[in-house]
Amino acid sequence: MKKMEEYVRSIPDFPEEGIIFRDVTSVLQDADGLHLAIDEIQRRLEGLDFDVVVGPESRGFIFGVPVAYNLRKAFVPVRKKGKLPCETVEISYDLEYGSATVEMHKDAVRPGQKVVIIDDLIATGGTIEAITKLVEGLGGEVVKICFLMELAGLKGRERLSSYEVESVICYPGK
C-alpha cells in the first residue's frame, strides 16, 4: 500500500512562484487514498475521550464527518457567515489578505462537551484558532485538533500551542 504522501499531488509555483501547492483533491479522487486519510486521522484519536467532532467548511466536513460517523460522535459544521439557518455565534479573524467570518449554531456545542476539530490542512492556523474561540465561548473544551496535512513553514502549530495538535503529513515549507 502507498504512503499517504504519495496520494497528495504537489503543484509547483501555484498560486505563485516559489509555492508548492498540496492538492487534497488527488487524495479524494483515489478510493485507497481517501480510505487511508480517514483511517490515519481516526487513528490519532484512539483512546481519546471526546463527544463532538467540529469541522470547518468545506474540507473539514469531508474528513470530519466520516470520522464522527465511524466513532458514533456528533458532527458540528462551522460555516462562512450567513450559511446557517438557526441562531449562531460568530467570529471574525484576519487572513493574509483581508478578513473572514465563520459561525456555528449557538446550540451546537454544550458546556462541558469535549471537542475534536478536524480539517484538511493547517497553514497559518488562523481559521482553527477562531474555531477554538467559538467552541470555548459555548463552554466546550477542545481536546485535540487533527489535520491531514501541515505546512510547517507557516508556523500554524505555534498559534495553536495550547492545544494538542497532530497532522498525518508534515511538509517543512510553505
Side-chain angles (χ1 to χ4, degrees), residues 8-16 18-23 25:
V8 178
R9 179 172 37 205
S10 296
I11 303 164
D13 300 322
F14 182 83
E16 59 187 54
I19 300 293
I20 300 174
F21 185 82
R22 308 299 179 173
D23 184 14
T25 63

Side-chain angles (χ1 to χ4, degrees), residues 91-96 100 102 119 121-133 147 154-157 159-160:
I91 189 166
S92 296
Y93 59 99
D94 292 328
L95 299 168
E96 189 175 356
V102 293
D119 203 4
L121 176 76
I122 179 174
T124 65
T127 301
I128 301 302
E129 180 184 47
I131 292 169
T132 64
K133 291 176 182 176
F147 301 96
L154 294 174
K155 303 185 186 306
R157 185 180 287 261
R159 199 171 194 166
L160 303 172

